[in-house]
Each structure stands twice: as C-alpha cells, then as structure tokens.
C-alpha cells in the first residue's frame, strides 16, 4: 500500500465539536497518527451524554474515524502531566476548546514551547484568539451570522431572518483550512527546526468566501442584499420545478450562445418564442415571466431528464438532490467511490463520505472506524508513556486514565 505523506507525524487532539476534530481527521487520512484525548467524565458533544451511545453516534463516527482514543482526566494534575509527556513525543497539538481552557491546563503556546519547541499548535476558534470577541461562546451556525452569510443567504423581502440550512459550514471549512495551515507549519519546521502556533478564526475563513460582496460594497459603494435565486449575470437562473413530488433542477444560462441553444430546445419542445426574451437585459427585466416560461417545460420532466438534456447542449444544470439521491441515484458518487462503508464495532455498517481530494501518488484514505471510548488508552500508556501494567491499573483506579 502506498506510503501516505504524513506518516510519521503524531497529532494530539484536545477537542470538542466539529472544527478541531476535522483538522485532525484530515491529517489522519493523509497518514498522521492522531491520538484523541477525551474523558469518561463526560462524553464529547458528538459522543453524547449517554455512555450506552458513546460508540454509536453517526456524527462522532464521521469526525473521529481512523483516530485513537486515550481517556485521561484533565481535572487531575497527574492527567495533565501525562498529556504533557505525550506532547513531548508529538508533532502537532490540535485544540478548539473555549479560550482559556488550554491556559488552565498549562498547555498554551509559551508553555507548550518549553515542553516541545518543535511542536505545532493550532487553536481553532469561532472568532480567533485575539480581539474583543475572542472569548465569545460560538458554534458553527452562529458564526455564520457574523460573517454575513445568514443575512445574504435569503430571499429579497423575506420576513424570516434567514433561509440558511442549519449546518456547520464554518466548522468544516475551518477544519479543512486548519489542516492546510498545519501542513504549512510542518514544511516550515522541516526548513527551520522550529514549531509555531496557528490562530485559526472560523469567522474569517468563512468571510473570505464573500469576496465579490465585499467588492460590491467597497468598490461600487452599494450594500449587498439578499437576492434569493436571482442573478444579475444569468437568466434563466435558479431552481425550477420538475415532474414529481418536490423535485427541482437548477439551471444557469449566462452566455448568449447558451441562451440560443436553450431557447431552441424549448421551442422545439413546443413552447412559443417570446420577443421579450430576445436579449439578456430583456430576460432580466422579465425574469418572472421567463421563469414561468421555463417551468412550463421543466415541470413536464423528471429532474434528471432536465439535467441530462441541458448538459447535452452545453447548458449548466443539476438536479437538486437530497441525501437519498446521493446514496441511491447519483452516478458520479458511485463512479468516484466517494461514499465509503465503515464497519463500526458497535454501530455496525455506516456509510459516510470519503476523502474529497485525490492525489495521484499519495491519495489519502479513510483509515479505519472511529475509536471506542478509551480503546487505545492502555496501548498509549504502555508504549508511548512507558507505564507498567501495574501503574496503568492504579491510574485507572484513581480515575486519572479515565
């Protein structure tokens, strides 16, 4: 099997939620050994509070696959001492607890550098580690409010605050970006021998996606507002109802040659040409009538038929897929093998996403199921920390390795 690019790199993870675990998961899938430090005192937010479900939660399985679980009680001095010892043998520390937790444990960067000057620390926070809101309580969904997507991701004139799906975009964007930053720091260390720390703010990573909207404000002097499914540069544009129950296909016609092919197709299907749609300006001005004209064709057909017909003439179109579509009907996912099946010891078969980028020489891979709570505690205590079986048993009894 191909040697992965991060083999030989050891990552210690002190995390909760999704952003920090995603950083370590990406590193793991490209070869790093990831030791997740956690405690039986309270399950991670994704393990949940019920010990009977700790090893069965889908979110936890998705975020922690391929890692090792080391149970340690950070409320005890001995527990913190064991983690410090672990960090002497580590290359990277990933953490995303609230600001001040790492300081309380004596693992902030100045002290980590004393322990291991080659170790790289990444701190993944909603607002970063500096500034007046650095200590704010943040989760992925409410970071979106600050970075502007909650406002912009809506319909014009909407009376509800947002049409945004409640998912953790900033967590996962911050996780993948954080892994990239760690690799850069590893390259720097290889050149200089020195570690460093990384301040990763999810709000800034997310806000960087708003570049065109920033330019609209700073260059054109206009305040960007929600546009729903409309576009200033494309018409028709948006999601169009198709045959079936709540089935839709998105269509985007930007260039004149695309419009000519698109209109000819619909006219061959029996639709009457409309002179108001002859120019792009006319199509934008009569957008509502244009949308009705397009829907009179799409509503007769299955969304996959609409997509394939339009793609065949060089017009951008895609089915609005739900998760069942992705699992059962999407030939692209099937062809690339994006969805992978894991056999979890307690949860059974779980299908989840694979590694979304493919390197030709060193492709990453899902390296195993998520760890059971404390599955690797004894292995790590014995092999990395040099503890005897008797010492391990005593620390378990004292609820240090717990």
């Amino acid at each position: 099997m191909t040697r992965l690019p991060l083999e030989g790199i050891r990552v210690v993870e002190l995390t909760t939620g999704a952003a920090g675990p995603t950083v370590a998961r990406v590193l793991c899938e490209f070869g790093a050994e990831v030791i997740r430090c956690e405690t039986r005192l309270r399950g991670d937010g994704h393990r949940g509070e019920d010990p009977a479900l700790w090893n069965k939660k889908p979110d936890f399985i998705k975020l922690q696959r391929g890692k090792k679980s080391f149970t340690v009680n950070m409320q005890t001095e001995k527990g913190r001492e064991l983690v410090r010892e672990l960090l002497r043998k580590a290359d990277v520390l990933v953490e995303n607890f609230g600001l001040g937790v790492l300081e309380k444990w004596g693992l902030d960067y100045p002290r980590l550098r004393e322990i291991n000057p080659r170790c790289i620390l990444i701190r993944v926070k909603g607002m970063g580690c500096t500034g007046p809101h650095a200590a704010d309580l943040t989760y992925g969904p409410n970071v979106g409010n600050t970075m502007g997507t909650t406002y912009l991701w809506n319909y014009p004139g909407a009376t509800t605050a947002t049409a945004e799906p409640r998912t953790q975009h900033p967590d996962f964007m911050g996780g993948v970006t954080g892994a990239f930053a760690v690799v850069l720091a590893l390259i720097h260390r290889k050149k200089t021998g020195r570690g460093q720390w990384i301040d990763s703010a999810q709000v800034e990573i997310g806000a960087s996606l708003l570049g065109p909207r920033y330019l609209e404000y700073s260059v054109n002097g206009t305040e960007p507002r929600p546009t729903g499914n409309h576009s200033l540069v494309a018409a028709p544009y948006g999601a169009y109802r198709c045959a079936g129950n709540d089935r839709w296909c998105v269509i985007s016609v930007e260039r004149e040659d695309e419009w000519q092919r698109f209109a000819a197709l619909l006219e061959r299907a029996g639709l009457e040409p409309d002179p108001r749609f002859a120019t792009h300006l006319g199509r934008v001005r009569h957008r509502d009538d244009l949308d009705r004209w397009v829907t009179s064709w799409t509503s007769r057909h299955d969304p996959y038929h609409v997509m394939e017909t339009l793609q065949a003439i060089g017009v951008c179109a895609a089915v609005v897929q739900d998760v069942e579509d992705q699992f059962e009907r999407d030939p692209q996912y099937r062809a690339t093998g994006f969805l992978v099946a894991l056999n979890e010891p307690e949860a059974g078969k779980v299908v989840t996403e694979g590694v979304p980028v493919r390197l030709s020489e060193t492709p990453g891979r899902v390296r195993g199921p998520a760890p059971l709570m404390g599955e690797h505690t004894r292995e790590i205590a014995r092999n990395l920390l040099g503890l005897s079986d008797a010492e391990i048993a005593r620390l378990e009894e004292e609820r240090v390795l717990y």
Side-chain angles (χ1 to χ4, degrees):
M1 190 170 287
T2 306
R3 184 175 167 83
L4 295 172
L6 295 179
E7 283 185 30
I9 299 296
R10 178 173 296 133
V11 177
V12 172
E13 177 183 317
L14 288 165
T15 68
T16 185
T22 300
V23 173
R25 194 198 74 184
V26 174
L27 299 173
C28 177
E29 289 169 352
F30 284 93
E33 176 193 26
V34 177
I35 299 172
R36 172 178 172 76
C37 298
E38 54 185 341
T39 178
R40 295 179 186 275
L41 293 174
R42 186 177 64 177
D44 167 274
H46 288 289
R47 278 205 192 271
E49 295 183 359
D50 183 354
L53 300 177
W54 277 349
N55 304 318
K56 297 179 179 178
K57 290 294 190 72
D59 284 352
F60 185 84
I61 290 168
K62 164 190 165 67
L63 290 164
Q64 311 298 347
R65 62 200 192 191
K67 301 177 185 177
K68 296 179 177 178
S69 171
F70 177 68
T71 43
V72 59
N73 183 353
M74 294 295 282
Q75 293 182 12
T76 65
E77 175 51 34
K78 183 62 179 175
R80 296 190 291 273
E81 181 186 321
L82 291 173
V83 171
R84 286 194 289 272
E85 184 60 28
L86 205 54
L87 288 168
R88 289 190 177 91
K89 301 174 171 65
D91 300 283
V92 180
L93 170 60
V94 181
E95 78 92 14
N96 72 328
F97 286 106
L99 199 61
V101 173
L102 207 63
E103 286 79 359
K104 184 178 70 176
W105 290 340
L107 296 173
D108 52 283
Y109 188 64
R111 284 181 280 187
L112 176 64
R113 190 165 52 185
E114 292 175 3
I115 296 167
N116 179 355
R118 288 175 54 82
C119 192
I120 292 156
L121 167 65
I122 178 165
R123 309 193 71 177
V124 185
K125 310 292 181 196
M127 300 293 167
C129 293
T130 62
H133 291 286
D136 284 6
L137 181 63
T138 58
Y139 299 106
N142 68 12
V143 172
N145 302 343
T146 307
M147 71 190 205
T149 53
T150 302
Y151 172 72
L152 290 170
W153 199 333
N154 210 340
Y155 293 102
T159 56
T160 54
T162 177
E164 179 189 5
R166 305 312 297 170
T167 188
Q168 287 75 29
H169 294 99
D171 281 286
F172 297 112
M173 290 188 296
V176 173
T177 308
F180 173 66
V182 169
V183 171
L184 294 179
L186 287 169
I187 293 172
H188 174 264
R189 189 185 72 171
K190 187 173 183 179
K191 295 177 179 176
T192 66
R194 299 195 304 273
Q196 60 181 304
W197 80 283
I198 301 161
D199 182 0
S200 179
Q202 292 175 53
V203 67
E204 295 181 10
I205 293 167
S208 67
L209 301 177
L210 300 184
R213 296 292 182 257
Y214 280 9
L215 292 176
E216 191 176 335
Y217 180 80
S218 62
V219 176
N220 297 335
T222 58
E223 182 182 348
R225 296 186 182 280
T227 58
N229 286 331
H230 292 166
S231 166
L232 290 176
V233 298
Y237 181 92
Y240 294 87
R241 183 176 289 281
C242 298
N245 181 23
D246 196 24
R247 299 316 312 258
W248 303 78
C249 183
V250 295
I251 299 170
S252 176
V253 177
E254 296 195 13
R255 301 196 312 267
E256 185 60 26
D257 63 301
E258 292 173 347
W259 166 253
Q260 293 297 331
R261 294 193 296 276
F262 180 80
L265 174 77
L266 269 59
E267 288 166 17
R268 286 196 300 275
L271 269 65
E272 290 291 330
D274 190 324
R276 294 177 299 169
F277 307 152
T279 65
H280 174 73
L281 183 58
R283 294 191 288 276
V284 171
R285 282 179 173 171
H286 301 284
R287 191 192 318 269
D288 291 343
D289 289 334
L290 175 65
D291 286 345
R292 282 190 282 273
W293 190 72
V294 174
T295 302
S296 68
W297 174 70
T298 59
S299 60
R300 304 174 195 169
H301 302 287
D302 172 87
Y304 286 95
H305 172 82
V306 173
M307 175 182 72
E308 291 162 5
T309 301
L310 294 181
Q311 287 286 353
I313 61 169
V315 171
C316 178
V319 175
V320 179
Q321 296 195 130
D322 56 25
V323 174
E324 182 181 345
D325 289 329
Q326 295 171 57
F327 273 61
E328 306 298 336
R329 288 177 278 278
D330 190 314
Q332 182 70 15
Y333 282 178
R334 193 176 304 126
T336 61
F338 176 64
L339 297 175
V340 296
L342 299 174
N343 287 313
E344 294 290 330
E346 294 189 12
K349 181 181 177 181
V350 175
V351 178
T352 184
E353 76 274 20
V355 180
V357 293
R358 299 171 183 85
L359 281 67
S360 63
E361 298 296 323
T362 53
R365 59 178 178 269
V366 178
R367 297 171 60 207
L372 304 176
M373 176 68 91
E375 179 180 351
H376 304 91
T377 302
R378 291 188 172 194
E379 168 196 321
I380 291 165
R382 188 181 302 114
N383 298 338
L384 284 181
L385 300 177
L387 301 178
S388 67
D389 288 345
E391 289 172 311
I392 293 170
R394 178 176 55 77
L395 291 171
E396 287 174 339
E397 187 177 335
E398 293 173 352
R399 291 166 66 107
V400 172
L401 292 176
Y402 186 82

